[in-house]
Amino acid sequence: MAPTVGYMPSPPPADMPSMPLAVPPPGLTPDFEHPASNSFHVTIAVAICIPIIVILASLRMYNLLCIHRQRTVADYTFMLATVWTIIYFGLVMALLNKGLFGIHIWELRLQDLTNTPFLLVLLLESLYGPFVWLIKTSLFLLYRQIFSTKRYLQNLVWAGVIVTGLFYWSTTIAKIALCAPRGHETYIMAFATARCGRTKSLAVGSGVFNVLSDLYLIVIPIPPTWSLHMKPRKKWRLIAVFLTGILAFNASALGLHFRVDVNRSLDDTWKIMPFYLSIIVEMTAGITVLCMPSIAAIVRHHKPAVMAYFNRNSAYRNQNSNQNSSHDNENQQGTFYQMSKLRKEITTSNSQTVESQGNTRHGHMAKSSDDSAIQLRSHTPDSETLTEGPSAAAASPKI
């Protein structure tokens, strides 16, 4: 979408370079020295999306070179689309560095305009259409590879490739023809013309076509998936891979919203930043969708080894746990044995002590009995005395 310039009534030529490009809203004073900017959102998005794209593309290349080892046309279109995406992101960052877009148009003066930012915008418009076509073509060719036995799906795939190719290439050519300088025009003058302003409506039509084509890509692989001879669980997994296209569909719908917003606004140097943000998200979503089958293949390939690794670790932990438990039992048994032995020794010692005390007590009792008997003998007359006394008395004569 090419922004247009020039909303101010024509001022006197001497004052024209210092005049704002548009009348500010009531109550706002333009700040030409430190204008507000919303371009940092796009910078953050690029910083996040480029690593994601590099990682996903690396995973797909790993699957292609180390696991699948069979190249198809879809792989070449994917590699071209990835390179195209990196170039597009680089041009967006170059555009932001110029400090023109992302600023309210009433805080820009004619002297702030240069040809380079508008040249970059034209390059971005020229790259967008072919990129989207490459992404969609890669998906169509992937469907053709998966459902090679479905004749009707083959026809739908080729119809999608041809229709999308005709639309995106024709709109790209139209944008270049309408906004490229003619004759002695500069890029600033070309973008300020009425013919270049018509690309806004063309951009809205492209947004509608993006949404419809993404919906087409989501729907066509689902019916043949149910006719495949596989378990329902695997069918749902395959459908889940295809349904990742919803990411691209949502990004296209978001892009359509911002296209309409820019088309209705006069402050398009500010409004165009959310539009570029939606394109960045859309491109990243397209690369993500193309890499999901490869990620699924990598997971299937390495899942047995990963499961075996975790099973070995689990068995090792269980073995250590059993050994520790056995060692603890042995320690407990040893402790119990020692305690039993100690308890037995204590019992034996107590028994001996009690027995010794009993013997001592018995000895004292016996000695006491002997002493009592001796004392009793010493105070009691002899038996003879007791028997002789009465006889002697009886035998003695009476006087």
Side-chain angles (χ1 to χ4, degrees):
M1 179 179 295
T4 57
V5 295
Y7 298 104
M8 282 289 296
S10 298
D15 297 335
M16 183 176 291
S18 60
M19 294 296 292
L21 296 180
V23 178
L28 290 181
T29 302
D31 186 359
F32 300 114
E33 298 301 327
H34 303 285
S37 176
N38 63 350
S39 60
F40 67 94
H41 298 98
V42 179
T43 304
I44 294 173
V46 171
I48 294 174
C49 292
I50 284 183
I52 293 175
I53 291 173
V54 171
I55 292 173
L56 293 177
S58 300
L59 290 174
R60 174 156 179 163
M61 295 304 298
Y62 169 76
N63 177 64
L64 176 63
L65 299 176
C66 301
I67 299 177
H68 189 60
R69 296 181 180 179
Q70 185 178 359
R71 300 176 186 177
T72 61
V73 179
D75 296 318
Y76 292 105
T77 56
F78 168 78
M79 289 186 282
L80 185 58
T82 302
V83 174
W84 213 295
T85 303
I86 301 299
I87 294 174
Y88 192 94
F89 287 1
L91 291 175
V92 171
M93 294 305 299
L95 179 64
L96 297 182
N97 290 333
K98 295 301 177 181
L100 179 61
F101 294 99
I103 300 174
H104 290 291
I105 196 168
W106 55 80
E107 293 183 332
L108 292 172
R109 295 165 295 187
L110 186 59
Q111 63 186 19
D112 297 327
L113 301 181
T114 59
N115 284 314
T116 304
F118 294 95
L119 173 61
L120 292 174
V121 170
L122 185 60
L123 289 175
L124 291 172
E125 293 293 329
S126 303
L127 290 174
Y128 174 75
F131 164 81
V132 177
W133 180 72
L134 284 173
I135 291 292
K136 296 182 187 301
T137 299
S138 299
L139 284 173
F140 282 128
L141 294 177
L142 178 64
Y143 294 164
R144 179 177 178 271
Q145 181 181 350
I146 295 174
F147 305 103
S148 58
T149 59
K150 305 294 182 181
R151 183 60 180 273
Y152 75 94
L153 187 64
Q154 301 289 319
N155 296 332
L156 293 176
V157 163
W158 287 118
V161 171
I162 294 172
V163 172
T164 55
L166 290 174
F167 179 83
Y168 287 115
W169 283 102
S170 62
T171 54
T172 299
I173 294 172
K175 291 175 183 178
I176 296 173
L178 292 173
C179 293
R182 298 179 183 179
H184 298 287
E185 291 179 343
T186 62
Y187 284 97
I188 298 174
M189 296 171 62
F191 273 74
T193 59
R195 69 172 189 274
C196 187
R198 291 198 294 269
T199 58
K200 286 188 173 183
S201 300
L202 188 61
V204 174
S206 298
V208 174
F209 187 84
N210 287 345
V211 173
L212 295 177
S213 58
D214 286 340
L215 184 61
Y216 181 78
L217 282 166
I218 293 173
V219 171
I220 63 172
I222 294 179
T225 302
W226 286 111
S227 62
L228 295 175
H229 298 288
M230 60 175 60
K231 295 180 180 179
R233 185 178 179 181
K234 293 184 177 180
K235 291 181 180 180
W236 278 111
R237 289 179 180 176
L238 185 59
I239 290 175
V241 172
F242 294 144
L243 289 180
T244 54
I246 294 177
L247 296 174
F249 174 81
N250 291 335
S252 297
L254 184 65
L256 175 60
H257 167 73
F258 287 122
R259 289 169 193 265
V260 174
D261 195 18
V262 173
N263 195 30
R264 292 176 177 176
S265 176
L266 298 180
D267 189 15
D268 48 3
T269 55
W270 177 275
K271 295 288 187 179
I272 201 170
M273 283 296 105
F275 168 67
Y276 281 129
L277 177 62
S278 68
I279 290 180
I280 291 170
V281 174
E282 181 182 354
M283 289 182 168
T284 306
I287 297 294
T288 302
V289 172
L290 288 175
C291 293
M292 290 307 296
S294 297
I295 294 175
I298 292 173
V299 172
R300 288 195 303 268
H301 179 77
H302 290 288
K303 184 178 180 180
V306 173
M307 295 300 295
Y309 172 78
F310 283 107
N311 290 334
R312 285 196 302 269
N313 288 344
S314 178
Y316 178 75
R317 287 194 298 269
N318 291 334
Q319 182 179 0
N320 289 340
S321 177
N322 292 334
Q323 290 178 355
N324 294 333
S325 177
S326 176
H327 183 67
D328 293 340
N329 291 334
E330 291 177 359
N331 292 336
Q332 291 178 1
Q333 291 177 0
T335 304
F336 179 76
Y337 173 75
Q338 293 176 358
M339 292 179 64
S340 299
K341 185 177 179 180
L342 181 61
R343 190 182 297 111
K344 184 177 180 180
E345 291 177 355
I346 293 173
T347 304
T348 304
S349 178
N350 292 336
S351 299
Q352 292 177 355
T353 303
V354 171
E355 183 178 357
S356 177
Q357 292 176 355
N359 292 335
T360 303
R361 190 181 299 110
H362 181 71
H364 287 301
M365 290 177 65
K367 184 177 180 181
S368 299
S369 299
D370 294 340
D371 294 340
S372 300
I374 292 172
Q375 292 177 2
L376 183 61
R377 280 193 219 101
S378 63
H379 293 286
T380 305
D382 293 339
S383 58
E384 294 180 356
T385 305
L386 291 174
T387 53
E388 289 180 356
S391 300
S396 62
K398 297 181 181 179
I399 300 175

